[in-house]
Amino acid sequence: MPTATADRGAARPYRSRIRAEQAMRTRSRILGAAHRLFVEHGYPATTIRSIADGASVAVPTVELLFGTKSRLLTAVIDVAIAGDDEPVAVLDRDWATVARRQTSARGLLRVTATVLRAAQERSAGVILAAYEAAASDPVVARLVDDQEQRRAITARWMVDGVAALSPLRPGLTAGDATESVWLLMDPAVFVRLTRRRGWPPERYETWWAESVLHLLTDNTTEER
């Protein structure tokens, strides 16, 4: 017959799992509230207290999980880009493996454009809020610089992937190609086309893949 001590021991993993799930739900609520408030009111005007109120938690809970508002902004952007809170780098995700398995430059760019479009839909608003705040907040400015460096790494990955499948245009260096892709990935481009010009996100996705293909290669007659 199990002893009382054994029963208590068996219950500990269950209680730990419940606590972990509760903590993840709390973290998710905080991230969601922060995202909404940063976009609606801007980063400077959004306080830790307003985020805590929006997530129905106490201020110390927000501070315990994220420390500072700038770290919370970083987490909000990372989750928005990735689409989840898993600690997996963008280029280590399944979509990158699928893209690398494509046999044409157009195929690689189509896979990439689908992922980029989804990331832009989730993250463009909050990233632009960070851009605005960076003008007067050096901490956020460093965050923005880091995000742009990450975008450059992803852009170079795309260029290398395209070049492995189709030669770059004559005279176009990998460095210049990376700068072009980096610019087209800018969330401001997505926002201007979808919100200012009224493009549906699906049109942005197709336009982006085809534009990069035309900019980088002469091989634009691949089978669609």
Side-chain angles (χ1 to χ4, degrees):
M1 178 180 294
T3 64
T5 300
D7 289 343
R8 287 196 296 272
R12 287 194 192 101
Y14 173 78
R15 288 197 296 269
S16 296
R17 185 173 68 252
I18 293 298
R19 284 196 293 269
E21 291 172 352
Q22 291 172 338
M24 287 303 297
R25 285 195 294 270
T26 299
R27 178 180 170 88
S28 180
R29 289 204 313 275
I30 293 170
L31 288 168
H35 188 147
R36 176 176 56 79
L37 291 169
F38 288 150
V39 171
E40 290 180 357
H41 303 296
Y43 177 82
T46 299
T47 64
I48 291 291
R49 178 169 294 283
S50 65
I51 293 168
D53 290 344
S56 300
V57 299
V59 168
T61 301
V62 179
E63 294 173 337
L64 177 65
L65 288 173
F66 296 98
T68 64
K69 189 170 73 165
S70 61
R71 289 179 182 173
L72 177 53
L73 175 62
T74 299
V76 166
I77 291 174
D78 287 347
V79 169
I81 290 173
D84 58 51
D85 203 8
E86 296 298 320
V88 180
V90 169
L91 295 179
D92 291 334
R93 290 175 173 263
D94 291 343
W95 74 265
T97 301
V98 173
R100 283 192 294 265
R101 289 175 178 167
Q102 298 301 304
T103 57
S104 69
R106 176 173 273 121
L108 183 149
L109 290 170
R110 281 180 170 175
V111 172
T112 303
T114 298
V115 175
L116 177 64
R117 165 201 159 187
Q120 298 281 35
E121 288 182 286
R122 293 187 301 262
S123 67
V126 72
I127 292 176
L128 293 186
Y131 282 0
E132 292 177 3
S136 57
D137 189 321
V139 174
V140 178
R142 288 193 295 271
L143 184 160
V144 167
D145 287 343
D146 180 67
Q147 288 294 329
E148 295 197 334
Q149 286 301 318
R150 293 189 199 182
R151 175 152 50 95
I153 291 169
T154 303
R156 182 54 186 258
W157 179 90
M158 294 176 193
V159 169
D160 290 344
V162 167
L165 295 167
S166 180
L168 296 181
R169 284 182 177 276
L172 178 64
T173 67
D176 286 345
T178 298
E179 296 297 333
S180 296
V181 175
W182 178 87
L183 180 62
L184 287 179
M185 293 173 66
D186 195 313
V189 174
F190 174 80
V191 168
R192 285 187 172 90
L193 290 175
T194 58
R195 300 182 189 175
R196 303 299 183 189
R197 304 304 301 164
W199 284 22
E202 295 83 1
R203 183 179 177 186
Y204 166 85
E205 178 183 330
T206 301
W207 167 83
W208 190 91
E210 292 299 313
S211 294
V212 173
L213 186 67
H214 280 265
L215 279 168
L216 268 55
T217 77
D218 284 326
N219 191 16
T220 57
T221 58
E222 292 179 350
E223 184 177 349
R224 293 177 180 271

